[in-house]
Amino acid sequence: MWLYLVRRLFLAVAIVVLAVTLLFVMIHAVPGDPAAIILGPRATPELKAALHAKMGLDDPLPVQILTFFADVVRGDMGTDVFTQRPVSRIVLGQLPFTITLILTSIAWAALVAIPLGCYSAIRRNTMIDKVTGVLSVGTIAIPSFVMALYALLIFAVLLKWLPAIGAGQGGLWDAIRHLILPALAVGIGWVGYISRIVRASMLEILGENHVRMARAFGLPERRIVFRYALPLAILPTVTVLGVGMAHLLSAAVFAEVVFARPGIGGLIVTAVNTRNYPIVMGTVLVTTGLFVISTTIADLVNAMLDPRVRESL
Amino acid sequence: MTQGDAALLDVNRLSLDFGSPRGRVHALRDVTVSVPKGRIVGVVGESGCGKSTLAFAIIRLLAGNAEVTGGEIVFEGQNLLDLNARQMRALRGQRMSMIFQDPMTALNPIRTIEQQMVDIQYRAPGGQAGKRRHAAEALDRVGIPDPESRLQAYPHQFSGGMRQRICIAMALLVEPALLLADEPTTALDATLEVQIIDLLKDLQRDIGCSVLFVSHHLGTVAELCDDVVVMYAGEVVERGSVRDIFNNPGHPYTQALLQCDPGRIRERTRHLPTIPGNVPNLLGMPRGCIFKDRCPHVFDRCRHERPAHHAIATDGHTASCHLLDQTAEAPA
Ligand SMILES: Nc1ncnc2c1ncn2[C@@H]1O[C@H](COP(=O)(O)OP(=O)(O)OP(=O)(O)O)[C@@H](O)[C@H]1O
Ligand SMILES: [Mg+2]
């Protein structure tokens, strides 16, 4: 396990380095002068030259990449073009809101979906299985921002049960009340999706030879389901959850905009609108990091569950 | 078959269908097999003739689309087909156990050998340590070196032959009255096969259990079994003691099987003999004898009338062939 851990973390670092390099090259391959874009109509040749020098745009590309990495490692992601505040401070200030939203969404979705999928597999073709099947396909098909809008209209505007906008002013309870609707909107599609995956893999595992063998020894069905089948059936789900982080992030961006919640979503939208290039770069960097962290965690969980994975890397 | 011994298992005229999109597959038809106490009964036949289906029908772990349409399975005096799920589960892993055809997939990939071997002793009294010791002893008996430390390993860390030994150790650990062995050596190479057969023989002698030994390899059956049942396309075509079947086969199918067995071929040939033709489709069973399309001795009666079992000798050697019908005149 330890060997796997070390190797997998090494791989994660390598992925981050590669992704950031690619990102950097891509941004610089876009035609047009970033300085001209940042300065907009105010651009005079002198101002441009000064900004070039400040941003290091005159250096050769490899030097720029290295400087960029050195800066990132020191936690320096440049400064906001308008407020001159450090980008890292701005992005990291918004990050906890987004992470809270994502983790809450995925946690409630998984907690509901895994038992549901399991139950549907064990009691397949019963009423409950068929109803969850139809509902799942429904929730998967509806985009999360539509969910967010309806949740907002029904529970906040019409019924006035929960607050409509923001993330709460003070106190844990207020924060939780503000979290419920966005988390509902982001997570609900995942309930359908995960429960279908769990159901499918559970059905497959329950039909496998080793489950029949366990039954041939008269093991209690509960033990077969929870100790023999579920840990195996959960493996694909864990991977999907890890990779699904990218999808969740985009769903969270929509929810944050709809509910006017602070977070990476609002930050990206305003930064893109105002061409705030360092902020865009910083948010993309952080979300890339999040993605790598989530896939790494998913792989580590799988390695904990499955000895064959531990020996594979 | 020998008389005197009370039968442990009596499968009487068992018929069984599988539902399929193309219609009902009549996988077993009027199958009668008797396993006396302490004896090893072999079931032989080509691939697809229903050997595994018979074994799974006995332990009642058939696929969901299977339906028993007739007959009974009497084990220790009770008809297994009448038992509910809980009563059936009480027999599995206690009075009967099974060795599966494919050792590569029979063990759970994410549980250690120890966990799985301790799990199957869940009904036994005593603590974890005792069960663990029991498991190690069982591994030692089937010839797994260094069993104490191998208990910690996962199935994928063993070879196919080792995994089959583990499966045998598990099946015999529970000291069953009846062991169902579904081609335990088919997935292994020939030298391993001999070792596994010897091992099964020794263990059976120690425990004194009865064995239903499924195989498509006549040599193995001759080596291990007391009695033999020959199956063809879902029916029993001949039964008798090993000596009867091998020295005096009554059914043309059994005769053909023996001729095709590479171990018994005397002359040097470049081609292994085979039985011409194919196993009939089990969807809609035609009238008459099931072997008629491939039988060298086929005559008119075979096409219309299904043959009954006729005695060949008084010791229970029977075959289902019109040629053995003493009451009818011989065909022209
Ligand atoms: N679940 C099922 N649904 C439909 N048909 C089935 C099913 N299981 C088995 N069969 C059919 O029943 C017949 C007997 O199959 P079975 O597996 O018992 O053969 P076998 O004698 O064990 O063969 P092998 O030597 O290859 O293991 C075959 O024709 C097979 O196609
Ligand atoms: Mg088989």
Side-chain angles (χ1 to χ4, degrees), chain A residues 209, chain B residues 51-52 99-106 158-165 167-168 181-194 196-197 213-217 220:
Chain A
N209 216 9
Chain B
K51 306 182 297 291
S52 298
I99 303 170
F100 283 63
Q101 191 163 354
D102 180 11
M104 301 310 274
T105 59
F158 292 89
S159 67
M162 285 294 172
R163 285 190 222 186
Q164 196 59 296
R165 280 167 198 263
C167 291
I168 293 173
D182 185 8
E183 306 202 37
T185 58
T186 303
L188 310 176
D189 61 53
T191 39
L192 267 176
E193 177 160 19
V194 177
I196 297 278
I197 294 301
F213 182 82
V214 171
S215 177
H216 60 232
H217 188 194
T220 334

Side-chain angles (χ1 to χ4, degrees), chain B residues 18 27 46-53 63 65 101 183 216 282:
Chain B
F18 287 111
E46 283 165 286
S47 183
C49 72
K51 306 182 297 291
S52 298
T53 304
N65 60 340
Q101 191 163 354
E183 306 202 37
H216 60 232
L282 296 177

Side-chain angles (χ1 to χ4, degrees), chain B residues 229-230 236-239 245 248-251 254 309 312 317-319:
Chain B
V229 169
V230 182
V236 172
V237 294
E238 182 160 1
R239 71 169 63 83
I245 297 278
N248 183 25
H251 197 281
T254 316
H309 267 270
I312 297 171
H317 181 192
T318 69

Side-chain angles (χ1 to χ4, degrees), chain A residues 293-304:
Chain A
I293 289 173
S294 68
T295 47
T296 305
I297 291 177
D299 279 0
L300 291 178
V301 170
N302 271 353
M304 259 156 55

Side-chain angles (χ1 to χ4, degrees), chain A residues 157-237:
Chain A
V157 177
L158 218 61
L159 298 171
K160 296 193 171 30
W161 287 352
L162 291 161
I165 57 170
Q169 297 303 315
L172 185 64
W173 177 234
D174 199 34
I176 291 175
R177 277 168 48 84
H178 279 86
L179 189 59
I180 292 176
L181 285 183
L184 186 77
V186 173
I188 194 141
W190 283 83
V191 175
Y193 189 41
I194 298 171
S195 70
R196 289 291 98 180
I197 299 177
V198 171
R199 178 184 184 272
S201 43
M202 196 70 185
L203 276 182
E204 186 188 324
I205 303 292
L206 284 176
E208 278 179 4
N209 216 9
H210 57 85
V211 169
R212 212 188 221 190
M213 166 113 159
R215 290 193 174 130
F217 280 100
L219 292 191
E221 200 59 27
R222 284 172 76 88
R223 185 175 315 202
I224 293 178
V225 168
F226 288 111
R227 302 256 190 89
Y228 282 70
L230 190 56
L232 272 170
I234 216 78
L235 297 173
T237 308

